[in-house]
């Protein structure tokens, strides 16, 4: 008895659709770094940054970091605005996207650590940034996933390195007649 043949269609987004998705995700993640970084630089110029960061660190009890946390925190606070602006600009432009995505992931993890410490210092605050930071990390993972030029040619990387790769047209869907029916 002949069994009907099944045709399985697998539709994946083409290179243009993947590049649009990468562009949107890069712009969103890049803006979340660029805008706060610029505000921190402006606040630093006025003498208002880093604000309460040091006071919270003094009250926080992080085991093993009691002797070194303030000097490291001062260095971190000094570098943070520049790192945010640099990573934000690199992501928005799509320049060295894989490296910028990795750096933004490390930066997000460090900010997540800071929010977890701040949550211990101020437990009365109901709304925390932790769930939002996890969403940022998921977006960062998607940016890293789409960072190769094959999925990211709407970027500076695509302009500079895209001549090594050109999108291929989609393949044809066809039925393979050589499939034998299942035997019982």
């Amino acid at each position: 008895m002949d069994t009907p043949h099944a045709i399985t269609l697998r539709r994946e987004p083409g290179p243009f659709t993947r590049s649009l998705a990468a562009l949107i995700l890069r712009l969103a993640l890049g803006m979340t770094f660029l805008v706060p970084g610029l505000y921190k630089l402006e606040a630093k110029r006025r003498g208002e940054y880093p604000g309460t960061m040091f006071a919270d660190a003094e009250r926080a009890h992080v085991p093993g970091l009691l002797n070194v946390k303030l000097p490291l925190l001062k260095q971190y606070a000094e570098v943070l605005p520049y790192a945010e602006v640099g990573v934000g600009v690199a992501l928005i432009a799509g320049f060295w996207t894989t490296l910028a995505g990795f750096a933004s992931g490390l930066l997000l993890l460090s900010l997540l650590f800071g929010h977890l410490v701040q949550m211990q210092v101020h437990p009365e605050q109901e709304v925390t940034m932790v769930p939002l930071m996890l969403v940022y990390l998921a977006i960062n993972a998607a940016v890293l996933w789409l960072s190769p030029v094959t999925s990211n040619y709407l970027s500076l990387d695509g302009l500079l390195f895209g001549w090594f790769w050109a999108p291929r047209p989609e393949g044809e869907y066809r039925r393979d007649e050589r499939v034998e029916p299942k035997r019982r």
Side-chain angles (χ1 to χ4, degrees), residues 4-136:
H5 295 284
I7 299 176
T8 304
L9 296 179
R10 189 169 155 203
R11 176 74 169 104
E12 294 181 6
F16 183 69
T17 304
R18 288 193 312 265
S19 292
L20 282 175
L23 176 68
I24 296 294
L25 291 170
R26 279 190 301 103
L27 290 175
L29 191 60
M31 284 189 296
T32 61
F33 283 112
L34 181 63
V35 173
L38 290 174
Y39 278 117
K40 285 178 185 143
L41 286 175
E42 179 62 27
K44 184 177 177 181
R45 188 185 64 76
R46 290 191 312 258
E48 299 170 359
Y49 176 80
T52 62
M53 187 184 297
F54 297 132
D56 286 347
E58 288 175 359
R59 287 188 283 162
H61 175 68
V62 180
L65 295 178
L66 292 175
N67 296 330
V68 295
K69 68 180 174 185
L70 286 179
L72 286 177
L73 184 62
K74 288 179 184 177
Q75 292 172 354
Y76 177 80
E78 188 67 32
V79 170
L80 181 62
Y82 300 105
E84 287 180 334
V85 169
V87 165
V89 167
L91 284 171
I92 289 171
F95 187 62
W96 290 343
T97 309
T98 303
L99 184 61
F102 180 71
S104 68
L106 293 177
L107 194 54
L108 284 169
L109 288 174
S110 71
L111 293 170
L112 176 63
F113 176 76
H115 286 294
L116 289 171
V117 169
Q118 188 178 24
M119 197 168 70
Q120 300 304 316
V121 174
H122 302 290
E124 70 278 359
Q125 294 178 350
E126 290 181 27
V127 179
T128 66
M129 286 290 291
V130 174
L132 187 57
M133 295 299 290
L134 295 175
V135 170
Y136 289 152

Side-chain angles (χ1 to χ4, degrees), residues 126-167:
E126 290 181 27
V127 179
T128 66
M129 286 290 291
V130 174
L132 187 57
M133 295 299 290
L134 295 175
V135 170
Y136 289 152
L137 282 166
I139 292 171
N140 190 73
V143 166
L144 276 172
W145 186 263
L146 294 170
S147 67
V149 175
T150 55
S151 297
N152 191 23
Y153 68 87
L154 296 177
S155 64
L156 200 52
D157 286 344
L159 182 66
L160 295 175
F161 309 115
W163 61 275
F164 287 116
W165 174 84

